[in-house]
Each structure stands twice: as C-alpha cells, then as structure tokens.
C-alpha cells in the first residue's frame, strides 16, 4: 500500500496517535519529533534543528534522533514513513 493511502491522526492535547485507525504509543520526545515532522512534511530538518526543537535544553547525543525515527517507523510498520537524507 503506498504511503499516501495511510491515515495518521495526531492529537496534540492527549498525545494520542492513530495510524490507520489503530492507536500507537510513542514516548513523549518521540511524539514531539513526530509532531515536528508532520507539521511540515516537505521540510528537511538538520540534526541540529531537530535537537534544538525536540530536545531543547537537554544534553543528548545525535543517536537519540535515529532511535526515535526508528521507533516511529516500527510503530507505524512502514519504513518509508520518514525519509532520512
């Protein structure tokens, strides 16, 4: 099924994500990353932009981005859900 045939609903207030009608559970920072990426789907974000936006004020390594991206891909069951450049 092409990516465009899937439906993702994100509720900012409750932190709930429905993907094709199924609830998926994401850690809070992973949810924030999904919100960032979904808010401007055609935008390419640098690692530093993602860290500054999602992990602002925290001391973390860049690997946390890849872990969260993989968590989103796994939860949705679609590796093409997020493209890495």
């Amino acid at each position: 099924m092409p990516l465009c045939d899937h439906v993702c609903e994100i509720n900012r207030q409750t932190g709930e994500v429905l993907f094709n009608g199924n609830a998926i559970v994401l850690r809070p920072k992973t949810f924030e990353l999904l919100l960032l990426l979904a808010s401007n789907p055609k935008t390419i974000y640098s690692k530093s932009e993602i860290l500054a936006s999602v992990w602002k004020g925290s001391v973390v390594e860049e690997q946390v981005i890849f872990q969260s991206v993989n968590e989103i891909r796994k939860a949705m069951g679609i590796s093409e859900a997020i493209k890495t450049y």
Side-chain angles (χ1 to χ4, degrees), residues 1-59:
M1 178 183 300
L3 188 57
C4 62
D5 291 342
H6 296 278
V7 177
C8 183
E9 300 173 57
I10 303 170
N11 187 321
R12 292 175 185 261
Q13 274 62 43
T14 65
E16 182 178 58
V17 178
L18 294 177
F19 188 71
N20 293 330
N22 298 310
I24 59 174
V25 178
L26 299 174
R27 294 177 299 146
K29 291 296 184 184
T30 302
F31 178 81
E32 285 184 43
L33 176 59
L34 179 60
L35 277 177
L36 173 69
L37 298 175
S39 66
N40 294 297
K42 296 188 187 274
T43 300
I44 298 173
Y45 292 95
S46 69
K47 291 181 278 190
S48 59
E49 289 173 318
I50 292 171
L51 289 171
S53 178
V54 177
W55 284 274
K56 58 185 169 268
S58 299
V59 178

Side-chain angles (χ1 to χ4, degrees), residues 44-81:
I44 298 173
Y45 292 95
S46 69
K47 291 181 278 190
S48 59
E49 289 173 318
I50 292 171
L51 289 171
S53 178
V54 177
W55 284 274
K56 58 185 169 268
S58 299
V59 178
V60 295
E61 300 209 10
E62 291 178 353
Q63 186 62 28
V64 73
I65 298 169
F66 302 108
Q67 291 170 343
S68 292
V69 166
N70 286 332
E71 183 180 334
I72 294 167
R73 288 175 175 154
K74 184 178 178 182
M76 292 182 170
I78 301 175
S79 61
E80 303 86 32

